[in-house]
Amino acid sequence: MATDRRISRVSSLIKREVSMMLINEIKDDRVGSGMASVTEVELSGDMQHAKIFVSIYGTPQAKAETMEGLKASTGFVRKELGQRVRLRRTPEVVFVEDTSLERGDQILRLIDQVTDSNLPTEEEI
């Protein structure tokens, strides 16, 4: 249990630090082309691997460019994390695009369509 709590704390700390890096320190223009924010960090049980989920707002091309920029900046992000987060070993960093917001939006639109098509019209009432 204490290990789960520690993993959760370190994940939150990594999320906060990487979010700050996205705003202030990553100088790659591709990362600025789509608005990106860290939505979640999954840290492995041994804290050697961190999956950083990023939600990106913009066109599909802007999203792809932002992901390229993030992947290119993984070395910088890992080095900065090593200096900011006191761990025995700095985890390997992998950026993953989080599409859950878009999927949720799509599901809500589909529900609205089904609901609207099943409503009786005024003539039917």
Side-chain angles (χ1 to χ4, degrees):
M1 292 269 186
T3 309
D4 291 341
R5 216 171 23 241
R6 181 162 191 258
I7 289 171
S8 177
R9 256 191 358 255
V10 173
S11 293
S12 295
L13 186 58
I14 289 172
K15 179 180 176 182
R16 187 180 76 212
E17 292 299 330
V18 174
S19 294
M20 295 304 294
M21 285 182 228
L22 283 175
I23 294 168
N24 300 320
E25 294 155 47
I26 296 177
K27 303 294 184 204
D28 193 319
D29 290 339
R30 295 174 292 185
V31 176
S33 65
M35 293 189 335
S37 61
V38 178
T39 56
E40 186 179 354
V41 173
E42 278 184 9
L43 198 58
S44 63
D46 60 1
M47 293 197 283
Q48 297 300 303
H49 303 278
K51 272 188 194 173
I52 302 174
F53 291 88
V54 182
S55 179
I56 306 166
Y57 180 78
T59 64
Q61 181 183 356
K63 290 179 181 185
E65 287 177 6
T66 301
M67 283 307 295
E68 285 176 25
L70 288 172
K71 288 177 180 171
S73 66
T74 53
F76 168 79
V77 170
R78 185 168 188 243
K79 186 180 108 203
E80 285 294 311
L81 282 176
Q83 293 173 357
R84 298 176 187 198
V85 181
R86 296 287 175 214
L87 295 172
R88 217 172 280 148
R89 290 190 56 197
T90 306
E92 293 291 328
V93 172
V94 176
F95 285 102
V96 179
E97 185 178 354
D98 184 355
T99 58
S100 61
L101 293 174
E102 287 91 358
R103 282 196 319 260
D105 213 27
Q106 183 181 19
I107 290 170
L108 288 173
R109 275 196 304 273
L110 290 171
I111 290 171
D112 286 344
Q113 286 176 1
V114 169
T115 305
D116 290 345
S117 67
N118 288 335
L119 290 175
T121 61
E122 286 187 30
E123 293 85 40
E124 295 175 333
I125 295 179

